[in-house]
Amino acid sequence: MIRLSGLQKIYQGEAGPVKALDNVSLTVQQGEIYGIIGKSGAGKSTLIRCINLLERPTDGTVTVDGQEMTALSEAELREARKSMGMIFQHFNLLSSRTVLENVAFPLELAGVSMAEREKRVLPLLELVGLSDKKDVYPAQLSGGQKQRVGIARALASQPKVLLCDEATSALDPQTTESILALLKDINKKLGLTIVLITHEMHVIKAICNQVAVIEGGQLVETGSVFEVFTRPQSTTAQDFIKAVVNNKLPEALAAVISDKPAADSNVVVRLSFFGATTNEPVLAGLIRRFAVDASIISGNIDHLQDTPYGTLLIELSGRPEDIQNALNYLHARDLGTEVIGYVARHAYAAC
């Protein structure tokens, strides 16, 4: 549906050229919700604006629905943009127009008759839950309602692609959740391909199928949200995930743990469970098979959309050879196993 190939964007700054995008290539499939996450200045806003050529790349190609956008004339590009809606962080509503008139504005610019505009806009207001606000002005709306107007306006031209530029960044957490649920519903009902950029991992976690992590204008990691979230490869992805998953060691344990084994030391292990493995009695099987004791330090279970995942921090005690056999057993199973460190026997329990 969307294919970016070798994308580069160079700005001329006062101190010389600035490379905002550096050889970016990615593919978004039809009907996906594709997230692009990065810190401020990473290049994500430039990237999403290159998709509809609000920013023209210095090099590389942008292909949308089989059409190479970078090869189009200005007139052809204006026509092609009609198949791509865009919503923004700051809503950009016209204060002197009602909700209905704001949503209808792109149709008005396209020369659609007033009767046809109303016929197309009213179902959109129902879709975003604002049917009762059609004659209200933006100043009378909450932030979440304003963003719903922005979403309806982006859908007015019946686009195939919806681009979301930090669409929830100006909203409180509860309103953010409602907007994300709306985008997911729109994706399901209309089969719309959605590309969104954000600096918040919980947004990616909530609704995206695929994710690209951008840092310094380069893609440092791509993959399914489940893969990146549960087995992050880049430091940037790991930093984002720490914001939504608490993997911090308890203070009492952090005070006594060592990265080097000692005589009679216990092993602290973090287990990560994915999908069906969250329901397996792993610790019970471990204790039955090996002469070790397993003490649970902390744990949690969450969901990545419909897929359960969990983490468990445990302390293994026993003879070194039995502990190693137990670790080999854990490594052989379909779960993540990470040795965090070592503690003297009974040291953590005494804290």
Side-chain angles (χ1 to χ4, degrees):
M1 178 50 154
I2 300 173
R3 188 173 70 252
L4 311 182
S5 180
L7 217 60
Q8 291 197 11
K9 178 63 180 180
I10 299 174
Y11 296 103
Q12 294 301 322
E14 292 182 4
V18 177
K19 190 175 287 187
L21 296 176
D22 185 7
N23 195 31
V24 171
S25 297
L26 62 82
T27 299
V28 181
Q29 302 296 337
Q30 168 68 38
E32 279 186 336
I33 304 181
Y34 199 106
I36 300 168
I37 188 167
K39 300 173 185 176
S40 296
K44 57 187 184 297
S45 290
T46 301
L47 178 55
I48 200 169
R49 290 168 67 87
C50 280
I51 295 177
N52 59 6
L53 263 67
L54 288 179
E55 293 278 1
R56 184 170 286 275
T58 307
D59 197 10
T61 60
V62 178
T63 304
V64 179
D65 199 23
Q67 191 171 36
E68 187 178 331
M69 304 289 289
T70 39
L72 300 180
S73 67
E74 286 302 315
E76 292 170 330
L77 185 56
R78 285 194 295 272
E79 186 64 28
R81 283 191 183 125
K82 293 178 182 178
S83 68
M84 291 181 281
M86 193 165 188
I87 57 176
F88 305 89
Q89 178 180 354
H90 296 298
F91 320 131
N92 298 331
L93 302 182
L94 300 171
S95 60
S96 61
R97 292 180 176 239
T98 65
V99 165
L100 187 147
E101 290 167 343
N102 265 281
V103 176
F105 189 59
L107 301 178
E108 181 181 338
L109 293 178
V112 177
S113 70
M114 183 180 296
E116 181 63 21
R117 292 201 300 268
E118 185 163 333
K119 181 180 177 181
R120 286 169 60 173
V121 166
L122 290 178
L124 292 176
L125 292 180
E126 183 176 355
L127 178 65
V128 301
L130 290 179
S131 294
D132 60 333
K133 303 291 185 183
K134 67 183 182 71
D135 298 320
V136 167
Y137 289 89
Q140 300 168 273
L141 301 176
S142 67
Q145 289 170 333
K146 289 176 182 177
Q147 192 57 285
R148 288 171 181 268
V149 176
I151 293 170
R153 180 183 57 191
L155 298 176
S157 299
Q158 300 174 324
K160 298 177 181 178
V161 175
L162 182 62
L163 305 176
C164 306
D165 188 355
E166 295 277 13
T168 60
S169 293
L171 306 175
D172 62 75
Q174 185 175 357
T175 306
T176 291
E177 293 303 317
S178 70
I179 294 298
L180 294 178
L182 174 60
L183 290 174
K184 193 171 183 178
D185 185 54
I186 288 170
N187 167 259
K188 183 177 179 180
K189 287 180 177 176
L190 303 182
L192 205 61
T193 302
I194 299 177
V195 179
L196 62 86
I197 65 167
T198 183
H199 62 273
E200 299 170 306
M201 195 65 192
H202 77 272
V203 172
I204 300 292
K205 175 176 175 279
I207 66 168
C208 293
N209 311 117
Q210 300 284 322
V211 61
V213 184
I214 188 169
E215 181 66 35
Q218 296 180 322
L219 295 188
V220 296
E221 189 166 351
T222 61
S224 73
V225 169
F226 191 81
E227 291 168 349
V228 173
F229 202 93
T230 56
R231 294 186 176 94
Q233 302 300 308
S234 65
T235 301
T236 305
Q238 291 166 5
D239 289 343
F240 277 117
I241 290 165
K242 285 177 184 176
V244 291
V245 176
N246 181 18
N247 279 335
K248 188 177 180 181
L249 295 179
E251 289 185 9
L253 176 59
V256 297
I257 197 167
S258 170
D259 59 357
K260 296 178 181 179
D264 278 346
S265 61
N266 293 346
V267 181
V268 178
V269 181
R270 179 180 288 122
L271 303 178
S272 300
F273 301 83
F274 317 116
T277 61
T278 55
N279 297 318
E280 292 184 11
V282 174
L283 289 190
L286 187 77
I287 295 168
R288 282 199 305 268
R289 287 172 172 81
F290 307 100
V292 296
D293 289 325
S295 302
I296 297 175
I297 299 171
S298 63
N300 70 283
I301 295 178
D302 201 344
H303 285 77
L304 276 173
Q305 298 175 36
D306 297 327
T307 305
Y309 76 98
T311 59
L312 197 62
L313 194 65
I314 64 173
E315 182 179 344
L316 296 179
S317 61
R319 296 185 307 169
E321 58 268 31
D322 292 325
I323 291 177
Q324 187 57 55
N325 288 335
L327 288 173
N328 293 340
Y329 167 80
L330 292 172
H331 280 296
R333 303 189 66 78
D334 187 23
L335 47 81
T337 305
E338 178 187 4
V339 174
I340 301 299
Y342 306 86
V343 294
R345 195 153 296 178
H346 309 304
Y348 179 57
C351 293

